[in-house]
Amino acid sequence: MEITSAAFWAALGSIIWVNILLSGDNAVVIALAARSLPPQQQKQAIFWGSAAAIVMRIVLTIIAAKMLAWPFLKIIGGLALLYIGVDLLREDDDGGDQGSGAADGGMLAAVRTILVADLVMSLDNVLAVAAAANGDVPLLVIGLAVSIPLIIFGSTLLLRVMERYPLIVTAGAALLGFLAGEMLLTDPAVVSRFGEQPHAVVNTAGAIGAALVVGIGLMLQRRRSAAKPDTE
């Protein structure tokens, strides 16, 4: 497709728009993962996590149609997302009392969390982006690359809001649990055995996943808070 053609720019606009619409949950997990870092490292974690996630998404998009047909992949991804949601919520009461070495390790851990969560949550999203690109890989790369600043801006904005309203952290973790519950029921292995589930059933599974993440995460938070006076 010629870069000067109207079709190229129309397709590019579609890719950017689709990526903006589908990246809200990714911005949430990026902000969640970076919130416990020092301010300077928050910016670094958001930038590198977002950039690496976009590169990974480009690769994912190219092979997405085949990957989504693999049985048990979404089940594994859903379980991973449940763990990430609980872990992020459990760490919410960690203070900023880390040394520089611990902070460096924290940034690497945040980037790793961003990559794993983006990988899991992008399994469905990349199909829409691939459809917009219509098989044109250079167009796909340009479209997703242009989306990086938009995702970074969204994550930075969410991070500011989370610092002001801590309840949003719980809401973000619940979102991850909801997505995990949906993924578990839409895996090809589950569909082939039990058939495609009604939308209401899938939403119910998502609600159960959200409740599990919030319940377990808050329980672990309380246990850690209760144990702190004994260790100090």
Side-chain angles (χ1 to χ4, degrees):
M1 193 181 298
E2 293 291 334
I3 193 171
T4 55
S5 68
F8 176 90
W9 291 103
L12 180 61
S14 298
I15 292 171
I16 295 172
W17 181 241
V18 166
N19 203 46
I20 292 172
L21 292 176
L22 297 178
S23 293
D25 48 3
N26 302 85
V28 169
V29 79
I30 289 171
L32 280 171
R35 78 192 184 285
S36 60
L37 297 173
Q40 182 59 33
Q41 290 196 327
Q42 285 179 351
K43 296 177 182 178
Q44 293 176 4
I46 288 174
F47 175 80
W48 291 112
S50 301
I54 287 291
V55 172
M56 182 183 64
R57 192 178 295 192
I58 291 171
V59 177
L60 255 183
T61 304
I62 296 172
I63 60 174
K66 293 183 179 179
M67 284 187 65
L68 284 174
W70 295 349
F72 304 109
L73 178 64
K74 293 176 79 172
I75 291 176
I76 295 171
L79 294 175
L81 210 53
L82 284 172
Y83 173 81
I84 289 172
V86 170
D87 194 52
L88 289 172
L89 193 56
R90 177 180 64 85
E91 293 178 353
D92 185 41
D93 61 342
D94 286 353
D97 54 349
Q98 302 167 333
S100 60
D104 290 339
M107 189 182 75
L108 292 176
V111 172
R112 184 173 62 247
T113 298
I114 291 167
L115 283 174
V116 173
D118 191 84
L119 169 66
V120 171
M121 293 187 297
S122 295
L123 291 176
D124 287 328
N125 295 359
V126 292
L127 281 181
V129 177
N134 199 24
D136 192 321
V137 175
L139 179 61
L140 169 68
V141 172
I142 294 172
L144 290 178
V146 171
S147 303
I148 291 177
L150 300 172
I151 296 176
I152 291 175
F153 173 76
S155 304
T156 304
L157 182 62
L158 271 171
L159 192 57
R160 300 275 190 277
V161 176
M162 284 177 182
E163 289 172 353
R164 192 164 183 177
Y165 305 103
L167 185 62
I168 295 179
V169 175
T170 303
L175 172 62
L176 300 185
F178 187 87
L179 294 172
E182 286 188 327
M183 291 180 68
L184 291 173
L185 283 194
T186 55
D187 185 88
V190 175
V191 172
S192 64
R193 184 173 181 85
F194 301 105
E196 188 170 346
Q197 299 301 309
H199 193 63
V201 174
V202 175
N203 282 343
T204 301
I208 293 172
L212 276 175
V213 167
V214 173
I216 296 173
L218 292 179
M219 180 185 68
L220 292 175
Q221 261 191 30
R222 292 192 191 100
R223 285 188 179 179
R224 174 175 292 189
S225 298
K228 278 182 179 178
D230 298 334
T231 58
E232 291 177 353

